[in-house]
DNA sequence: ACCGGCATGTAACGGGTTACATGATTTT
DNA sequence: AAAATCATGTAACCCGTTACATGCCGGT
C-alpha cells in the first residue's frame, strides 16, 4: 500500500492537485493513518499518469506553475479497488514518546513531566483537528474512521491523565 | 530515534544477543511502538560496538554461530540518555486497515466484514500479548506503557464492536 | 518588509524490509 | 518427516523524508 494507492484513494473523493493531496495527507484525514509528503506524492502522480490510472488537466495561472488537476480514470478506480481487496499489512506504529516513557524511571522528573505534557497536547491537537469536520456529509466509512480516531485520541488522553502519577513522584 | 538507540534501550534492561533484541522488537514490548527486524538490528549492534557504546562477549556453541552477548558501556548509557533528552518526533501511524475502512462504502459488504473481523482479531491478539506479563516486577515507566497499550487496544475493540453497524448494512 | 500559503518538481540521502546464505537441535 | 527455534550476518532494493530550486500573491 504505497503512495500511489494513497493518491488513488484521495482522488476517489474528487479531482485534486498534488498540493491538495498533500494537504489531505499531512493535515487532513489521512494524516491520522497514512501521512505522506511532497517528495513521494508528486512522483507517484506522474507514475499514475504514465500508467493511465489518472488523467491530468492543466490550468494556466499567472506567476505560478500551472495547476495540474488530476482525476481518476476507470482503470485507476479498478486498480484502487483491487488493492483494497488484497491482504492488508498489520498496523504499524512508531512512537518515540512511548519509547521514552518506557524508560521514564531513568529520566529526570522534569523531563518526564515535559514529555507527558507535550504528548497530551499532541493528542488534544489531533482530536481537535477531527472535531472540525461535519460528519453528516460523509459516507459511512469516513464517519466510522473519524469516530475511530477520536475514540483512540480520547482513550489516550484519559489514560495518560489518570495514570501519569505512576511516573511522577512528587517531592 | 533509529535502530541504534533502540538497541541501547533494549540493553539497559540487561545484556542480550541480537537475536534476543529482535524478539523484544517483534514480539516483546517494543513491538507495540517501535518494531524492528534482523536486517537493521545486527548492523546497528556492530556500529555500536565500533563506537564503543556496547561491548561484546563471545560464547562458543557447537553447531551454531557463536552467541554474541552485548552489554551497555557507560558511554552507551550516556548516549542513550542524551537521545531521550532531545526533541522527539511526533507519533507516526500507518494503518492499511483504517485506510481501507475509510473507503468502506466502495467495498463489497463481505469484504468490509472480513476487514472488521480481522482488525478486531489483531487488537485482541495484541492485548493478549500484553496481558501475559506480570506488571509488578517492572519499573513504573514500563508499567505505564503496558497499561497505555492495553488501554488503546481496549478502546479500539470497544469502538469497532459498537460502531461496526455503521459500515454493515444488513440485507 | 516579511511570512505564510499557493504550486510544482528533483536529487540526495538515509533507513529499513526482504531475501539470501548456513546449519544444528528440538518440538510436533 | 517437517517445521519451528536458535543464531548470525550481508546485499539488494524500495521507499520515503529532507533539502533544494523557483516565484507570486495576500495578509500582518
Amino acid at each position: 500500500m504505497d503512495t500511489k494507492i494513497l493518491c488513488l484513494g484521495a482522488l476517489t473523493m474528487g479531482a485534486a492537485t498534488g498540493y491538495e493531496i498533500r494537504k489531505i495527507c499531512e493535515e487532513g484525514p489521512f494524516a491520522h493513518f497514512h501521512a505522506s509528503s511532497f517528495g513521494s506524492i508528486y512522483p507517484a502522480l506522474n507514475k499514475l499518469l504514465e500508467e493511465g490510472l489518472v488523467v491530468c488537466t492543466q490550468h494556466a495561472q499567472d506567476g505560478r506553475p500551472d495547476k495540474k488537476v488530476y482525476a481518476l480514470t476507470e482503470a485507476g478506480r479498478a486498480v484502487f479497488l483491487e488493492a483494497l481487496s488484497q491482504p492488508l499489512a498489520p498496523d504499524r506504529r512508531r512512537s518515540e514518546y512511548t519509547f521514552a516513557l518506557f524508560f521514564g524511571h531513568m529520566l529526570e522528573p522534569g523531563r518526564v513531566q515535559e514529555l507527558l505534557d507535550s504528548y497530551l497536547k499532541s493528542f488534544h491537537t489531533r482530536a481537535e483537528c477531527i472535531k472540525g469536520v461535519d460528519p453528516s456529509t460523509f459516507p459511512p466509512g469516513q464517519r466510522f474512521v473519524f469516530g475511530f480516531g477520536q475514540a483512540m485520541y480520547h482513550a489516550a488522553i484519559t489514560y495518560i491523565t489518570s495514570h501519569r502519577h505512576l511516573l511522577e513522584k512528587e517531592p
Side-chain angles (χ1 to χ4, degrees), chain A:
Chain A
M1 187 97 19
D2 55 3
T3 310
K4 289 202 294 193
I5 303 302
L6 190 76
C7 291
L8 292 178
L11 293 176
T12 62
M13 301 188 284
T17 65
Y19 192 82
E20 286 163 349
I21 292 176
R22 194 230 50 168
K23 273 210 296 196
I24 294 173
C25 293
E26 300 231 309
E27 300 154 42
F30 289 9
H32 304 284
F33 51 82
H34 206 306
S36 231
S37 58
F38 280 141
S40 45
I41 291 169
Y42 282 121
L45 285 171
N46 284 326
K47 269 178 237 158
L48 291 171
L49 197 58
E50 281 173 38
E51 293 165 17
L53 305 182
V54 299
V55 288
C56 172
T57 54
Q58 220 142 328
H59 299 261
Q61 298 187 128
D62 29 287
R64 289 185 203 176
D66 285 7
K67 188 191 258 195
K68 294 184 176 178
V69 179
Y70 293 92
L72 213 54
T73 63
E74 270 316 302
R77 181 174 296 266
V79 166
F80 178 64
L81 290 175
E82 167 64 18
L84 293 192
S85 74
Q86 291 308 115
L88 303 182
D91 283 16
R92 203 148 282 176
R93 178 160 160 258
R94 180 137 306 181
S95 173
E96 300 195 352
Y97 279 92
T98 311
F99 180 75
L101 291 172
F102 190 84
F103 299 99
H105 56 289
M106 297 172 64
L107 306 175
E108 295 159 34
R111 178 59 175 160
V112 172
Q113 273 191 14
E114 208 175 272
L115 289 176
L116 289 165
D117 286 335
S118 66
Y119 203 22
L120 265 177
K121 205 174 136 196
S122 76
F123 285 118
H124 275 296
T125 308
R126 288 177 183 228
E128 273 316 304
C129 180
I130 293 182
K131 237 179 225 164
V133 299
D134 173 23
S136 58
T137 59
F138 294 109
Q142 295 179 32
R143 279 207 297 254
F144 179 85
V145 167
F146 283 131
F148 185 53
Q150 204 136 44
M152 297 304 281
Y153 295 144
H154 263 162
I157 291 166
T158 303
Y159 180 85
I160 296 172
T161 305
S162 61
H163 290 82
R164 58 185 298 169
H165 64 87
L166 288 176
L167 275 165
E168 295 169 322
K169 341 173 215 291
E170 280 112 76

